[in-house]
Amino acid sequence: MAETFTNTTQILQPFKGVKKVTLEEYFTSGHRTCQGCESALVMKLMVKAAGPRTIVLGSSGSAALGTSAGLKALMKKGKMKAEPINVIAFCGDGGGADMGLGAISATLTHKEYNSLILLYDNESYANTDIQLSGSTPYGANTTFSPPGTVKRLIHTRWKKNTAGMLAAGHTECRYVATVCASYAVEMMNKVRRALSIGGPTFIHSLDPCPKGWDYDPMLSHELGELAVETGIFPLYEVEDGVVRHYGKTKAIVEGRPRKPVREYLLKQGRFAHFIEEDLGYFQAKVDEMWDKWEIPGVIPFRKEKPGK
Ligand SMILES: Cc1ncc(C[n+]2csc(CCOP(=O)(O)OP(=O)(O)O)c2C)c(N)n1
Ligand code: SF4
Ligand SMILES: [Mg+2]
């Protein structure tokens, strides 16, 4: 009987275009996020993509794994109707890519439990007043890294490559992807794929945040697009070890020029203190991701040249 429950998932076919997206909304009015908050949009699209019979947890790996294991045990014992229920843990960059990274890593090794961890990355600990996280971009102004006259840049660490790291390090995790809500249908279809494929899965979403990034809320959608078009945030998925680039990222891989990073950075108050030298450094680091990485925008290793 146990076999009945082994990695049975809901099979969620991709939405074939925006007109085919279901009309039901599960994220209803009354939330208290800022105007233009992309993380609220990500939550709305995520639950729409998942549909009914879904549990969403506001935490990371341990909650996903525990819930999935609990459901499986209850169904096996006949204490719950046996049916595939989507389990999604929704966590921030502070909670997921910093504090809860170990628990996410553990979850991604438990292939017998189905869950999706969706990390919404607004590039700061926003709830506790825009504090610097390991996902905050180089040089950004946060409450922990205010630019000064003596020292212009307080934060000089490069952002973690979270999705690439998790994909490379968890060989039995069948699906890791990056998304941005500016590309909503693609985003929902990646959520649907992650939930359908079975086992633990991971999606990293880049979410423009008007308050923390300091820009007019009307620019949220455009900033998401620019993050992709400049090559700063590549859109891809890794399914069973095969990397597939998406949309404008795919075009970049195929030779389309990237937009200069300054077009993205200078629209945000958190980079208002940048001088040409800082923009040049940022551009060079992004160029490196595309020109030198073993898999552009995904995996940074380089093979040693023969004879060295
Ligand atoms: C272990 C732990 N340390 C500190 C906190 C306090 N805390 C609550 S929300 C938060 C910010 C989390 O940032 P992130 O996960 O990026 O989510 P965001 O606030 O940006 O939505 C912090 C530090 C906590 N809840 N747990
Ligand atoms: S601070 Fe940023 S992430 Fe938080 S609600 Fe406001 S816009 Fe959204
Ligand atoms: Mg955050």
Side-chain angles (χ1 to χ4, degrees):
M1 186 168 171
E3 280 309 301
T4 318
F5 309 108
T6 305
N7 284 20
T8 306
T9 61
Q10 295 181 35
I11 303 304
L12 304 166
Q13 299 296 343
F15 295 130
K16 294 211 161 88
V18 71
K19 289 185 184 162
K20 301 288 182 193
V21 173
T22 48
L23 294 176
E24 286 87 352
E25 293 293 352
Y26 301 95
F27 185 71
T28 53
S29 61
H31 70 82
R32 296 175 66 197
T33 65
C34 309
Q35 184 185 22
C37 173
E38 286 288 279
S39 298
L41 180 61
V42 166
M43 169 65 98
K44 175 184 144 102
L45 296 173
M46 178 188 83
V47 291
K48 186 189 261 292
R53 311 309 290 156
T54 296
I55 295 171
V56 178
L57 306 141
S59 188
S60 65
S62 343
L65 182 59
T67 304
S68 179
L71 286 173
K72 200 167 175 179
L74 288 171
M75 289 179 196
K76 259 191 198 171
K77 289 179 179 171
K79 294 192 173 173
M80 261 184 87
K81 190 180 123 200
E83 61 169 323
I85 295 179
N86 299 320
V87 174
I88 309 178
F90 190 66
C91 60
D93 49 306
D98 290 348
M99 294 184 282
L101 189 60
I104 291 179
S105 173
T107 303
L108 296 184
T109 65
H110 280 274
K111 65 178 178 180
E112 68 277 32
Y113 299 115
N114 301 326
S115 65
L116 163 62
I117 297 165
L118 195 150
L119 188 151
Y120 69 94
D121 181 4
N122 52 16
E123 301 191 320
S124 78
Y125 290 74
N127 266 295
T128 38
D129 205 18
I130 320 296
Q131 297 162 330
L132 180 73
S133 82
S135 303
T136 300
Y138 173 87
N141 181 353
T142 68
T143 49
F144 276 13
S145 57
T149 43
V150 176
K151 205 166 177 212
R152 190 179 64 260
L153 301 183
I154 304 294
H155 172 47
T156 53
R157 290 178 283 140
W158 197 250
K159 182 183 170 83
K160 281 186 194 179
N161 178 26
T162 303
M165 158 181 35
L166 292 175
H170 302 85
T171 51
E172 291 191 310
C173 162
R174 296 189 59 199
Y175 192 82
V176 171
T178 59
V179 298
C180 177
S182 299
Y183 306 96
V185 176
E186 178 197 313
M187 189 214 133
M188 287 189 281
N189 284 340
K190 285 177 174 164
V191 168
R192 288 169 80 78
R193 184 65 188 148
L195 292 169
S196 302
I197 199 167
T201 54
F202 179 83
I203 294 182
H204 183 176
S205 158
L206 182 73
D207 300 4
C209 159
K211 182 180 169 196
W213 300 14
D214 188 14
Y215 64 83
D216 188 313
M218 68 182 273
L219 291 179
S220 288
H221 183 92
E222 187 182 338
L223 281 171
E225 287 184 331
L226 280 170
V228 175
E229 289 169 333
T230 53
I232 291 172
F233 192 77
L235 294 177
Y236 62 86
E237 68 184 10
V238 184
E239 181 174 324
D240 291 330
V242 177
V243 177
R244 198 172 293 123
H245 292 97
Y246 270 78
K248 288 183 180 153
T249 301
K250 184 165 184 275
I252 292 171
V253 172
E254 289 166 357
R256 179 171 163 166
R258 281 173 274 122
K259 287 190 175 171
V261 296
R262 64 192 304 131
E263 287 188 29
Y264 171 73
L265 300 177
L266 296 182
K267 285 194 168 62
Q268 305 169 53
R270 62 181 174 155
F271 301 111
H273 55 292
F274 266 31
I275 61 172
E276 282 304 320
E277 183 188 326
D278 307 326
L279 292 166
Y281 179 82
F282 207 111
Q283 184 67 63
K285 289 288 281 183
V286 174
D287 290 349
E288 201 180 302
M289 283 167 61
W290 292 96
D291 301 338
K292 298 204 171 141
W293 285 21
E294 177 69 19
I295 302 178
V298 184
I299 301 292
F301 312 128
R302 265 94 73 188
K303 288 189 188 118
E304 194 175 39
K305 292 201 175 77
K308 228 188 135 212

